[in-house]
Amino acid sequence: MPRGRYSLHDPHDRTPLAEEHFQCAPGPSGWRYVSRLTGTAGEHRGSVDLALDDLGRPLRLELHAGDWQVRGAALDGVTWVRTDPTGLHATEGNVRAHAFTGTSPAFLVATARLLRLTPSSAATRVRLVAFTDPVLAPRTVDQSWALVNSEAHATDNGPLTVDEYQVTALDTGEQHAVHIAGDVVLAAPGIELEDLQSPPSRFD
């Protein structure tokens, strides 16, 4: 069960935003990721709880950011309920999309699991609902993912395969690289893996 810590920063000016302490593992239903976020002064900033099925679809998502909360799942596309800080009002949403995304590295692993690309695959378009900080506002985004390189590296625990994806935002054309090993993000814009206490899980 990998556990460790990511640092999150603004991908443009590298302003530190938060630290995400996580653990994740494959399970009988697919894969689960849980984390808690702390701010630069150590204050609690929120949490992520994401469970996928064997096909990479979101069985359950629960996000907290400040006093805001989102619960969602794959249902007629993706469906969610967003609750305001007072707890008095909840708004429902539904979009014909494939999955969710956001600032957590969990969503990059989840999208890679959903697409299951190979180096010979053509770039694949995916529609995602992004929940943006700090109020978890939903926004539909279209991306293109391509697996441009897959390379095995020797480690003390056997070979570790690192996949390099090229992700393109289809509304702006902006491209960036994402490096994933198993169920751990090694590098991506705004994300740095600071500590890993056990090796990434290997997916079948």
Side-chain angles (χ1 to χ4, degrees):
M1 176 184 293
R3 64 178 65 226
R5 174 173 54 89
Y6 294 108
S7 63
L8 309 181
H9 57 264
D10 187 300
H12 302 291
D13 62 14
R14 299 190 61 82
T15 300
L17 300 175
E19 289 194 338
E20 186 161 339
H21 302 259
F22 73 95
Q23 61 185 45
C24 56
S29 63
W31 181 71
R32 188 177 179 198
Y33 177 103
V34 294
S35 70
R36 56 183 176 83
L37 287 91
T38 57
T40 54
E43 75 279 12
H44 179 70
R45 288 281 301 274
S47 62
V48 178
D49 188 342
L50 173 65
L52 307 180
D53 67 11
D54 283 334
L55 298 178
R57 298 171 300 193
L59 281 175
R60 184 185 71 255
L61 171 66
E62 185 167 329
L63 293 178
H64 292 266
D67 293 325
W68 293 87
Q69 175 181 288
V70 165
R71 291 182 177 177
L75 182 65
D76 296 327
V78 293
T79 300
W80 68 92
V81 176
R82 176 173 172 262
T83 306
D84 71 310
T86 67
L88 300 177
H89 305 285
T91 55
E92 296 185 10
N94 172 263
V95 171
R96 288 287 182 181
H98 299 93
F100 299 109
T101 191
T103 56
S104 173
F107 294 114
L108 297 175
V109 176
T111 303
R113 290 295 300 155
L114 179 71
L115 298 179
R116 297 175 186 264
L117 300 174
T118 66
S120 60
S121 301
T124 299
R125 178 172 177 154
V126 61
R127 173 162 287 183
L128 305 168
V129 173
F131 294 105
T132 56
D133 294 332
V135 296
L136 302 179
R139 182 169 62 94
T140 303
V141 298
D142 291 303
Q143 297 178 343
S144 171
W145 280 60
L147 178 57
V148 296
N149 189 38
S150 186
E151 187 174 353
H153 298 264
T155 72
D156 294 339
N157 298 292
L160 179 68
T161 300
V162 178
D163 294 326
E164 179 186 353
Y165 296 90
Q166 183 182 74
V167 181
T168 304
L170 295 181
D171 57 345
T172 65
E174 182 180 3
Q175 295 182 334
H176 60 267
V178 173
H179 294 82
I180 297 175
D183 55 358
V184 173
V185 176
L186 302 181
I191 298 168
E192 290 186 15
L193 180 63
E194 301 287 356
D195 179 52
L196 185 63
Q197 298 176 18
S198 53
S201 300
R202 290 180 172 88
F203 291 111
D204 294 332

